[in-house]
Amino acid sequence: MGENGAGKNHLHNNQVFDLSIDVLQQGGSKCFDDDGHLKRTGTVWTASAHIITAVIGSGVLSLAWATAQLGWIAGPAVMFLFSFVTYYTSTLLAACYRSGDPINGKRNYTYMDVVSSNLGGVKVKICGWVQYLNLFGVAIGYTIASSISMMAIKRSNCFHASGGKNPCRLNSNPYMIAFGIAEIIFSQIPNFGQLWWLSIVAAVMSFTYSTIGLGLGIAKVAETGKIRGSLTGISVGTVTQTHKVWRIFQALGDIAFAYSYSLILIEIQDTLKAPPSESKTMKKATLLSVGVTTLFYMLCGCMGYAAFGDLSPGNLLTGFGFYNPFWLLDIANAAIVIHLVGAYQVYCQPLFAFIEKTAAEKFPDSEFTTKEIKIPIPGFRPYNLNLFRLVWRTLFVIITTLNSMLLPFFNDIVGLLGALGFWPLTVYFPVEMYISQKKIPKWSTRWLCLQILSIACLVITIAAAAGSVAGIVLDLQSYKPFSTGY
């Protein structure tokens, strides 16, 4: 009798459990999504803010230099080409967020999960290494860029005060350390979902400094009354023939870096609410943000080149193409620093989440990795402090800051990062996963077109990486560790 009663009770519990799962899967719960996770609240606007924060980064400032290497014909054409490839492959990648059915299929929370579901095998590990090394590299690149902008504020004020007589030499280390301290604080934001407000602030800042750069370029052209530059780019004589080739390759890497955000696309998509389906929302957000980005890139790159021609600086707002109005430059550089604080977080969150998830799986019984300590904050929800998160993220920021002090070559590092991440993450994996998911037959017209696109982008990636490595080798000839100044 007792056993029979227990059996009935067990059966009843199972039915309740199955019923609750059904309710969840039908989207009946107000608090949870179909996978049992807390309800996602992301929209086209929050996704666009994340993308714009990630894309209109410091890369926009090197576009006048990149356009100067390529000239009036190839410069804008290459920018448009990269924007089209980025948009197209991003829509292919967004379609892979759910496996099977686009509305009710299994969710893939990270780029690695998507590759695992669609391709599997050794490709998952390759994807993980490329993605997370790239994110680590981006953190270093952004630390360098922010220190250059902070020093530019100090230098422009120093130039102004001395009437241009003082050379105003500065060491970059204190500025990198200051940026690192800010990142240690912001890296305690637990996940992407809670980062939306920082992304919106950062996106507004990116528009601020891009607009100032554009305005100064227009003012410079109006002042001199002529549009500088040539159809074929920087002239041989200003640089040697070999240097010109390397610089063209490096410019391709800079433009690739300026567009790349595929490495965090799936993580952004995982913040979106449904309905409509996440892939539909993500395609709209991608079209909106890549369109806005391309317009800004074309304007900033072309106006910077029109203003300075062959002498376009590697960083439009800190290369001292402009000296006045100095207060406007200060605002632009402050906006860059604020933007980079947010962009650093947007890029590093997937890496943070991956390490924390791995640690929790490896040590499920350790309080250090799993326990959340609730810290009350007056007027706000209590903050969940996790000791592992606190220690690991702090260490990560310290390591990236030290690496930035060792490798302070902004343009070349940006070019190399763009090159290494562009083909595998923006083109190869999205194309292969799309072919696998849609079961596109081998040697069909569509299959051939996709493969030609992939191979063409691989050639560009190899050329860009070679150009950036050549630039780094040149930089190293006059380099002393931890003593870089401007």
Side-chain angles (χ1 to χ4, degrees), residues 60 71 85 141 158 169 191 198 202 214 262 265 330 334 337 339 356-357 372 377 379 388 414-416 427 453 477:
V60 69
V85 169
C158 168
R169 293 264 163 236
N191 55 40
L198 189 59
L214 172 62
S262 296
L265 183 143
D330 289 354
V337 176
H339 170 259
E356 283 149 29
K357 181 178 157 218
E372 298 271 347
I377 304 168
F388 177 73
V414 158
L416 187 60
V427 184
L453 170 71
Q477 289 170 5

Side-chain angles (χ1 to χ4, degrees), residues 233-282:
I234 196 163
S235 46
V236 176
T238 310
V239 290
T240 65
Q241 185 73 50
T242 317
H243 264 137
K244 182 169 167 71
V245 173
W246 286 128
R247 279 173 162 224
I248 287 171
F249 289 165
Q250 197 185 327
L252 294 175
D254 279 9
I255 295 170
F257 176 80
Y259 275 108
S260 67
Y261 75 96
S262 296
L263 66 172
I264 54 169
L265 183 143
I266 295 295
E267 284 83 353
I268 294 173
Q269 194 168 350
D270 191 45
T271 64
L272 298 176
K273 64 181 178 189
S277 75
E278 297 86 357
S279 61
K280 262 191 188 163
T281 307
M282 199 64 196

Side-chain angles (χ1 to χ4, degrees), residues 250 252-254 256-257 410-420 464-465 468:
Q250 197 185 327
L252 294 175
D254 279 9
F257 176 80
F410 175 66
N411 260 51
D412 301 321
I413 297 285
V414 158
L416 187 60
L417 286 173
L420 295 177
S468 298

Side-chain angles (χ1 to χ4, degrees), residues 88 431 444-455:
Y88 179 66
V431 162
S444 65
T445 311
R446 200 167 187 194
W447 184 89
L448 278 170
C449 288
L450 287 166
Q451 295 299 347
I452 289 164
L453 170 71
S454 185
I455 290 162

Side-chain angles (χ1 to χ4, degrees), residues 281-297:
T281 307
M282 199 64 196
K283 281 174 187 173
K284 275 187 195 165
T286 298
L287 182 61
L288 176 69
S289 35
V290 171
V292 168
T293 302
T294 305
L295 178 67
F296 259 80
Y297 281 7

